[in-house]
Amino acid sequence: LLLTATKMATGLPNSFQPGPLWGNGPTPGQIYNFPGGGANQHADEYGTQRTLYPSVTTTSVLGVKFKDGLVLAADMLGSYGSLARYRNCPRLMKVNDTTVLGSSGDYADFQYLSSIIKQRVVEEDCLDDGFGYTPPGLHSWLTRVMYSRRSQFNPLWNTYVVGGMHEDKSYLGVVNMVGVAFEGDCVATGFGAYLALPVMRDACEKNKKMTEKDAIELLERCMKLLYYRDARSLNKYQIAVVTKKGTEVRGPVSANPNWEIAHMVKGYE
């Protein structure tokens, strides 16, 4: 009876019926399922596994607003403990034409979450409904993700900086590994929060109408300062510039350090 009904409805036998348009794809309107989110098949044998100590870590991300946009900077060193092991680890990710993301902390967790964000961007493009990720939206979503993982006692060991343009205004926000989030005109993560942020704040107070050139020169100065003082930094970094025209990730670039006075620095032996 079912076969007869199918033939009557379509005029075709079941063997000629088309399959699903996207059998393994996401279902529009449903909650996103993270990869690897299922039950651990080895949990009974080994117990539940958690990241207790990140293996490859990265250091500071700097961000500052200027008159018509914002600039982010981050070096490309991945440290294996205290060993400067990986020297080509990009940490600035262009999400779309209005949004850029920077990460410090565990590099593997950043790779995991960045792959999810890229897939979600593709899914948004496939829906073609006129909506996409905005800087406040991505910042809010990251806050929920980080807090959710923290509540499961399995955090992502990262601090993220989200920057971009929203409604013709620049947006700059930070969220850490437990979901604490805030916004600011100039932000820094890692060791940069102690060394570079005071320099950036002083420059912003003295120059209220900072241009793109001024902002880039400020971050270049701060990246050189971190290279001098932070043992986990490297003189090879990327710069992301976000304006109304779009998003551009530049680099890698290098500063010109000067070690002539290094022999005069004493008391740290």
Side-chain angles (χ1 to χ4, degrees), residues 94-109:
K94 178 182 176 180
V95 179
N96 52 37
D97 290 336
T98 61
T99 310
V100 67
L101 176 69
S103 168
S104 64
D106 188 19
Y107 195 68
D109 284 346

Side-chain angles (χ1 to χ4, degrees), residues 11-264:
L12 295 173
N14 284 342
S15 58
F16 293 99
Q17 292 299 314
L21 180 62
W22 193 358
N24 297 322
T27 304
Q30 299 299 314
I31 298 176
Y32 189 82
N33 293 320
F34 282 79
N40 187 355
Q41 59 182 348
H42 300 295
D44 295 336
E45 183 178 355
Y46 302 110
T48 302
Q49 304 298 307
R50 295 287 186 265
T51 302
L52 300 180
Y53 301 100
S55 299
V56 178
T57 58
T58 54
T59 184
S60 310
V61 178
L62 310 180
V64 62
K65 293 181 181 180
F66 60 89
K67 183 174 60 174
D68 300 316
L70 58 91
V71 182
L72 265 63
D75 68 69
M76 302 181 68
L77 178 65
S79 300
Y80 187 76
S82 59
L83 174 67
R85 177 65 180 86
Y86 304 102
R87 298 168 180 259
N88 191 26
C89 296
R91 298 188 285 127
L92 295 182
M93 170 187 169
K94 178 182 176 180
V95 179
N96 52 37
D97 290 336
T98 61
T99 310
V100 67
L101 176 69
S103 168
S104 64
D106 188 19
Y107 195 68
D109 284 346
F110 167 64
Q111 289 177 313
Y112 165 76
L113 198 57
S114 64
S115 65
I116 294 174
I117 293 173
K118 290 177 182 177
Q119 181 60 40
R120 288 175 64 91
V121 170
V122 170
E123 292 170 7
E124 290 284 353
D125 291 340
C126 291
L127 292 176
D128 196 21
D129 55 2
F131 294 95
Y133 269 123
T134 62
L138 180 61
H139 190 211
S140 177
W141 181 81
L142 282 172
T143 303
R144 298 299 89 211
V145 170
M146 303 300 278
Y147 183 76
S148 174
R149 289 291 296 261
R150 171 259 187 192
S151 299
Q152 298 169 22
F153 295 94
N154 188 22
L156 296 172
W157 292 66
N158 298 108
T159 300
Y160 289 98
V161 176
V162 181
M165 300 296 295
H166 181 60
E167 297 179 349
D168 294 332
K169 295 181 180 179
S170 55
Y171 182 94
L172 191 58
V174 179
V175 55
N176 68 4
M177 64 180 291
V178 296
V180 176
F182 60 90
E183 304 172 33
D185 293 333
C186 53
V187 298
T189 68
F191 226 61
Y194 303 97
L195 295 177
L197 193 56
V199 178
M200 296 162 60
R201 285 174 174 168
D202 182 65
C204 290
E205 290 177 0
K206 293 180 179 178
N207 188 359
K208 298 292 186 180
K209 297 183 179 180
M210 190 178 299
T211 64
E212 178 181 334
K213 181 180 178 182
D214 295 334
I216 292 176
E217 290 178 352
L218 172 62
L219 289 195
E220 288 177 345
R221 175 188 172 194
C222 291
M223 294 303 293
K224 186 185 294 187
L225 172 63
L226 290 174
Y227 178 56
Y228 287 145
R229 291 293 186 179
D230 185 2
R232 303 292 176 266
S233 64
L234 183 68
N235 189 23
K236 179 182 178 183
Y237 57 90
Q238 292 178 303
I239 290 180
V241 181
V242 186
T243 62
K244 296 178 182 178
K245 298 179 181 180
T247 301
E248 180 185 6
V249 178
R250 306 173 184 174
V253 295
S254 300
N256 296 316
N258 184 356
W259 298 101
E260 291 182 359
I261 65 170
H263 67 281
M264 302 175 61

